[in-house]
Amino acid sequence: MVVGAVVSQDDFWVYLAITAAAAFILTVSFNLIYGYAGIFSLAHVAVYGIGAYTTCLLEMNYGVPFLWATLGGMAFCAVASLVLWWPTRHLKDLFLAIATLGFAVAVQEVLLKWSVTGGAEGLLGIPLAEIGGREIVANTMSYYWLAAVGAVLAFEISARVTSSATGRKFVALRDAPIALSAVGVSPGRVRLVAFILAGGLAGLAGSLFAHQTLFIASESFGLDRLIVLILAVMIGGPGTQLGPIIGVVALVFIDEAGVASAGYHTLILGLAIIVLLGYAPGGLMGWVRRMRGRFRSRPESRQLPVEPLPAQFEARGHLSSLVVESASVDFGGVRALDDVSLDVRSGEVLGLIGPNGAGKTTLVNVVTGHVRPTTGGVRLDGKRIDGDRPHVVARRGVVRTFQTPQLLSDVSVVGNVALGFAGVSSATDLGEIVDSRSARRDTTAALGEAAGLLEALDVHAGLTEPAGSQPYATQRLTEIARALATRPAFVLLDEPGAGLSDHERDTLAVIIRRVADAGIGVLLIDHNVSFVAAVSDRIHVLDRGRTLASGPADEVLEQREVVVAYFGGEA
């Protein structure tokens, strides 16, 4: 309303406001797929073009009303995004960028040479937008209000998504995709949701752009537009709610400054980019976040808990055994595991020790589906799971932590733990995107239960602060809490005591015993033998990929072969 009142007295400012509103919608869509989900798709402007052309062709060739044509264009963009997702779903970084750039080039060629799209001449005679029998003339205040409604809608969708479980999954896909699998969520599915959601919003932006200019051609959706889009996100701050607003406003003013300076637009744009990104590589909002972090007091590490877990986090009672059967793993010519067998029972702690290179982490990766065994297998209550993908294994009740905590650094501590409920939530992706009542209920319950679980682990301070700003012991507990939030039958702890003080490690042992007392089977991997011995019911020793000893802790640690494996010589 305020912007409309300010610009209404000048046709030029009306034009700028409409242009900025349409650009904002496109920037929001790219911020969702790149800033939040970390998918660097160079095809986004091509999808934007598909939305513009589809909307106009539906109106011009089939007489579809403006609103329905716009929805059709958004839907077609979602389908195009699905087509783009399928062959690129396993690609990352440079390979993803190259593949999506290839898609963009292909779309550009189609738009340029296909007679249906007008070829090189583009589409002329695009009809005015019409709603309720009333024509909305381009570049007038009535069109500004139409574009403003679209911009507010895009902002609201972005705000709801990024504050929901879907938003946390997007950030996890960007920062720690392995953590998604660990809580039972398919990274591929999350990537698909990001593609479709961003594609639909890009289609809305394309429709508004086409009905503002009343003429579109392939060059409107080329490399120049892509560069400007990327810069808008980078200047404002990728992965922030206000970043698209700041980025679009900054580029509009930079563009106008270039026009006013007699054609030095490119020079001014380049200098502005160097200055802004040189001093604020995370964009202006990233700079604000860093400044705020400097003045935030760093919480001290607290004593770890001695209280039992809440009843709702007890194990899945119908699962009682996790068995590794004669598992061997070959990496090229190296045998990392050689005919290893062990079993973990519900309610017990099995310690897994061995010198560096013994194969401990490889064994964990086999159990959790990250590595397929060359021979042998893994059974959960008699059912084979070694062929399942990691997120499926987690959904079945076998979860893990990592040697280095895989947390979402910029997400709150309680938000990180709430991610653990994503794999057991009943909310649908669409429900989370539109913020349905059931999705809100699930989100509120997840945050509340996450806070309760953290309280049970004696993490009281900093629950709403970014996890990356917390003490290392708190980060360890946060990852363990996230694993417990999945309500597992078995949890595999990979070096949970690494980096902790002696006191923290001793009290962590109490936590692990409490987890086992709740009926959860624990496989504990650690280099600290005394720590493992203090908490474990049984110990399994690996050396050079083979089982060296297995049995009660006191008996195993007295065996000469075990002592020699750790200390060498005749120790």
Side-chain angles (χ1 to χ4, degrees), residues 415-441:
N416 268 274
V417 178
L419 181 65
F421 292 97
V424 295
S425 172
S426 60
T428 64
D429 295 320
L430 180 60
E432 291 176 355
I433 290 172
V434 301
D435 197 28
S436 67
R437 182 178 300 179
S438 62
R440 287 198 302 271
R441 184 172 58 248

Side-chain angles (χ1 to χ4, degrees), residues 92-352:
K92 299 178 182 178
D93 304 326
L94 180 61
F95 298 102
L96 175 63
I98 292 173
T100 53
L101 180 60
F103 180 88
V105 171
V107 170
Q108 189 81 356
E109 283 297 302
V110 170
L111 297 180
L112 183 62
K113 297 181 178 180
W114 195 20
S115 60
V116 175
T117 62
E121 295 181 359
L123 281 184
L124 295 168
I126 296 174
L128 295 175
E130 184 177 324
I131 299 178
R134 179 186 174 186
E135 288 187 338
I136 303 177
V137 180
N139 297 318
T140 63
M141 278 304 298
S142 60
Y143 197 88
Y144 163 76
W145 292 120
L146 175 63
V149 168
V152 170
L153 177 63
F155 183 86
E156 182 66 17
I157 290 174
S158 176
R160 292 190 179 204
V161 168
T162 55
S163 63
S164 71
T166 295
R168 287 190 291 273
K169 286 184 276 190
F170 280 5
V171 175
L173 182 68
R174 181 192 70 196
D175 293 345
I178 197 171
L180 276 176
S181 297
V183 298
V185 176
S186 167
R189 182 186 179 114
V190 176
R191 177 181 276 206
L192 173 61
V193 172
F195 264 102
I196 291 177
L197 177 61
L201 287 176
L204 173 60
S207 175
L208 290 173
F209 169 75
H211 287 86
Q212 180 195 9
T213 59
L214 301 180
F215 164 75
I216 53 175
S218 60
E219 58 263 25
S220 303
F221 313 103
L223 182 60
D224 290 348
R225 186 69 182 124
L226 176 63
I227 292 173
V228 171
L229 174 62
I230 294 173
L231 290 178
V233 172
M234 295 303 297
I235 289 174
T240 62
Q241 191 64 27
L242 296 179
I245 298 176
I246 295 172
V248 169
V249 171
L251 283 179
V252 167
F253 276 100
I254 291 171
D255 186 65
E256 290 309 308
V259 173
S261 61
Y264 287 97
H265 167 266
T266 304
L267 175 61
I268 292 178
L269 181 61
L271 290 176
I273 292 167
I274 292 173
V275 172
L276 286 171
L277 298 187
Y279 287 96
L284 292 177
M285 288 303 300
W287 178 81
V288 171
R289 182 185 294 167
R290 289 202 308 276
M291 293 300 102
R292 187 172 56 190
R294 290 184 180 181
F295 297 100
R296 182 187 294 121
S297 59
R298 193 174 180 86
E300 297 180 357
S301 180
R302 298 175 55 88
Q303 180 177 350
L304 301 180
V306 293
E307 297 299 323
L309 295 175
Q312 66 264 38
F313 298 105
E314 293 181 358
R316 305 182 192 191
H318 61 286
L319 299 175
S320 60
S321 67
L322 177 65
V323 180
V324 178
E325 299 176 329
S326 303
S328 297
V329 175
D330 295 325
F331 295 122
V334 177
R335 173 148 286 198
L337 284 182
D338 189 1
D339 196 30
V340 174
S341 297
L342 60 79
D343 67 293
V344 186
R345 304 156 194 164
S346 60
E348 76 159 357
V349 179
L350 174 65
L352 182 63

Side-chain angles (χ1 to χ4, degrees), residues 350 533 536-541 549-559:
L350 174 65
S536 299
D537 300 295
R538 296 181 294 127
I539 287 182
H540 194 98
V541 186
S550 185
D554 53 351
E555 296 179 9
V556 167
L557 296 178
E558 291 179 356
Q559 295 184 26

Side-chain angles (χ1 to χ4, degrees), residues 523-545:
L523 179 63
L524 171 63
I525 303 94
D526 208 279
H527 281 289
N528 190 303
V529 177
S530 60
F531 168 57
V532 175
V535 71
S536 299
D537 300 295
R538 296 181 294 127
I539 287 182
H540 194 98
V541 186
L542 292 180
D543 184 29
R544 300 177 185 179

